[in-house]
Amino acid sequence: MNLKAIKSGAACARIFWDKSLFCMVFGVFLLAGCSALPDKPVRASLYDFGPGNLTAQPATQAALRGLPALAIDEISTSGGALDNQAMLYRLAYRDAQELRPYTLARWAMPPAQLVRQRLREQLGQQRNIFDARGGLALNRSQNAVLPLLLRLELDEFSHVFTAPDTSVGLIRLRATLIEQATSGEKLIAQRSVVVQRPAPSADAPGGVRALTAATDAAIEEIDVWLQQR
C-alpha cells in the first residue's frame, strides 16, 4: 500500500468519524429539546347532575289533583365563590372556613343554574312551571290569575370533608313563596333547607354524586313544603 493510499484512507476515516460525531451530538441536543417541551395541559373534567329523565314522565296523581302553577325566579347567591363553575370543597377537620376549588374538576355551569334546572325538571312533573319574568308577563297580558312565585337563595354548595376519607355533599337553600297581584307582592311563607348526603369516594366524582343526591333531596323537601301551602 503506497503513501497516497494511506493518506486517502485516513482522510475518509476522519470524515466518517466527524459525521458520526456530529450525528451523535445532534441527536443528544434533539432529545434534550424534546424533553424540554412543555407537557400537554390537562383539561379539567366537567360535571353536571346527569341527563335527567330520558323518557316522558306520565302524569302523576298530584298533577291529576291540579296542583297550582308555579313561577320560578332565578336562584340568587351570596356572590363570589358560587357565581362561577368552580367545584368547591372544605377540609372541615382542618379549617372549615376555607373554601378550596378542585383543580381538575369543574361544574358545567354555575351551581345556581344547575340547581334551578333540576328544580324545574322535578317540579315540572307535577305542575305547570313558568319562568318568573316571561310567564308572569304573559299572564298579566291575558288578565289571568298570576301563579305563585318561588324565590331561592343558594348559600352553600360544597363537598365537605369531616376526615380525610369521610365526606358529604352539602347544600343550603332559603326558599320564599310569594303571592303576586297587580297591586304588588305578598309574602306567604319562608323556609330554610339544609341537606347533606354521604360521598361514595373522597374525590371530585364522589363529591358530584353526593351533591346531586343532596340537591334531589332538597328539591323533594321543597316540593312537599309547596304542596302544604
Side-chain angles (χ1 to χ4, degrees):
M1 183 178 294
N2 56 33
L3 182 60
K4 183 177 181 180
I6 293 174
K7 290 182 177 180
S8 177
C12 289
R14 187 180 302 110
I15 292 173
F16 177 78
W17 168 252
D18 291 343
K19 288 184 176 179
S20 298
L21 182 61
F22 172 78
C23 289
M24 291 175 61
V25 173
F26 180 76
V28 170
F29 277 107
L30 182 62
L31 290 174
C34 290
S35 63
L37 290 176
D39 294 333
K40 184 178 180 180
V42 180
R43 296 183 60 183
S45 299
L46 289 179
Y47 293 93
D48 58 18
F49 292 157
N53 295 322
L54 300 179
T55 58
Q57 297 296 309
T60 63
Q61 290 299 317
L64 294 176
R65 289 198 303 268
L67 289 179
L70 184 70
I72 299 178
D73 209 344
E74 297 293 332
I75 297 179
S76 62
T77 70
S78 56
L82 292 177
D83 285 345
N84 55 64
Q85 294 170 249
M87 187 179 297
L88 302 173
Y89 68 95
R90 296 179 187 270
L91 302 181
Y93 60 90
R94 183 182 299 172
D95 186 354
Q97 294 179 320
E98 182 179 2
L99 278 171
R100 306 163 184 250
Y102 277 106
T103 304
L104 297 179
R106 294 175 62 80
W107 293 111
M109 59 183 74
Q113 294 182 30
L114 283 172
V115 173
R116 186 175 186 272
Q117 184 182 71
R118 194 74 157 191
L119 182 73
R120 285 181 56 90
E121 176 186 319
Q122 299 294 338
L123 297 186
Q125 296 178 25
Q126 304 185 72
R127 65 178 79 218
N128 291 325
I129 298 295
F130 296 96
D131 287 328
R133 297 177 182 175
L136 293 178
L138 178 63
N139 283 336
R140 282 196 178 100
S141 67
Q142 297 176 350
N143 294 321
V145 176
L146 298 177
L148 298 177
L149 174 63
L150 177 64
R151 287 192 177 128
L152 293 176
E153 297 175 60
L154 181 63
D155 296 325
E156 180 74 21
F157 193 79
S158 63
H159 185 194
V160 181
F161 287 81
T162 54
D165 59 350
T166 305
S167 59
V168 298
L170 174 64
I171 181 172
R172 184 167 64 249
L173 292 159
R174 189 159 53 250
T176 302
L177 189 62
I178 295 171
E179 179 182 319
Q180 297 208 121
T182 55
S183 57
E185 298 181 346
K186 177 183 176 182
L187 176 65
I188 297 178
Q190 285 185 318
R191 182 186 180 95
S192 292
V193 178
V194 182
V195 179
Q196 60 181 15
R197 288 294 182 270
S201 58
D203 53 14
V208 170
R209 291 178 177 84
L211 282 164
T212 301
T215 300
D216 286 342
I219 292 172
E220 183 177 353
E221 187 173 326
I222 290 171
D223 187 22
V224 172
W225 173 68
L226 289 173
Q227 292 185 40
Q228 294 172 346
R229 303 277 69 80

